[in-house]
């Protein structure tokens, strides 16, 4: 059966919204149909199993959170500096917090992956690929630091994102920009 790719993407986006709002246990074909505003049974026509829906939602979340293509296209577009790293991380933090449902869905998927080895394998592969792309961009741009520093910045930013999305008042005395600048200044070698 030939399927409409735009509808499949809309269903996957609806699954992400359901995951963010209701958690993995709330992700049903019926819930996705309702969220997407499509007739009952549509989601089951596009996804042969709940596992497939979860895996594709995981892939789609990373697409929704990725840097714009024009940023990734030319790593040397700007002079390499810690200021540029801070700006890139600030842009990432903005994407993560303004696309709140995407990151919350990703957290739900990660929790669900503890019970589903195939989902864990798929998410692990996606995260590794994304991390390798980030390291490649960092190196191609000539930015200070290397793979280890990118790892530390990645881990720190994911922790910051969890705090901002789940308990935003816990560290309300610091703006995202302040925290990002602290991280960059402490982790990257001086200019």
């Amino acid at each position: 059966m030939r399927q409409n790719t735009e509808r499949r993407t809309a269903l996957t986006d609806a699954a992400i919204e359901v995951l963010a709002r209701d958690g993995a246990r709330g992700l049903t074909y019926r819930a996705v149909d309702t969220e997407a505003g499509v007739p009952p049974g549509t989601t089951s026509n596009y996804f042969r199993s709940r596992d497939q829906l979860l895996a594709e939602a995981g892939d789609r979340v990373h697409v929704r959170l990725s840097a714009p293509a024009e940023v990734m296209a030319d790593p040397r577009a700007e002079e390499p500096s810690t200021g540029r790293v801070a700006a890139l991380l600030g842009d990432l933090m903005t994407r993560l917090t303004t696309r709140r449902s995407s990151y919350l869905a990703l957290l739900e998927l990660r929790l669900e992956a503890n019970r589903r080895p195939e989902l864990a394998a798929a998410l692990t592969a996606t995260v590794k690929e994304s991390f390798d792309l980030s390291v490649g961009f960092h190196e191609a741009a000539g930015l200070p630091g290397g793979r280890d520093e990118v790892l530390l910045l990645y881990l720190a930013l994911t922790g910051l994102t969890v705090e901002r999305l789940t308990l935003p008042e816990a560290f309300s005395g610091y703006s995202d920009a302040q925290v990002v600048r602290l991280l960059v200044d402490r982790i990257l070698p001086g200019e």
Side-chain angles (χ1 to χ4, degrees), residues 14-80:
I16 290 167
E17 298 304 319
V18 171
L19 281 166
R21 184 185 61 240
D22 302 330
R25 300 230 184 255
L27 184 70
T28 64
Y29 287 148
R30 181 178 293 168
V32 175
D33 288 342
T34 300
E35 180 69 29
V38 297
T42 302
T43 301
S44 64
N45 287 333
Y46 280 80
F47 300 94
R48 68 182 179 277
S49 69
R50 189 168 179 272
D51 287 337
Q52 182 187 20
L53 180 58
L54 286 165
E56 290 194 33
D59 289 342
R60 180 74 178 143
V61 161
H62 284 91
V63 169
R64 288 171 55 161
L65 294 174
S66 294
E70 59 272 9
V71 171
M72 299 304 288
D74 187 7
R76 294 263 183 199
E78 296 178 36
E79 198 64 34

Side-chain angles (χ1 to χ4, degrees), residues 55-123:
E56 290 194 33
D59 289 342
R60 180 74 178 143
V61 161
H62 284 91
V63 169
R64 288 171 55 161
L65 294 174
S66 294
E70 59 272 9
V71 171
M72 299 304 288
D74 187 7
R76 294 263 183 199
E78 296 178 36
E79 198 64 34
S81 67
T82 58
R84 179 160 187 227
V85 174
L88 289 166
L89 291 177
D91 290 344
L92 173 59
M93 198 61 209
T94 298
R95 281 194 312 279
L96 296 174
T97 55
T98 59
R99 298 173 187 168
R100 186 174 194 273
S101 60
S102 293
Y103 200 81
L104 290 174
L106 181 57
L107 292 176
E108 285 291 335
L109 287 164
R110 286 177 175 216
L111 292 171
E112 188 66 16
N114 284 299
R115 296 176 283 281
R116 298 174 180 272
E118 289 180 13
L119 180 58
L123 287 176

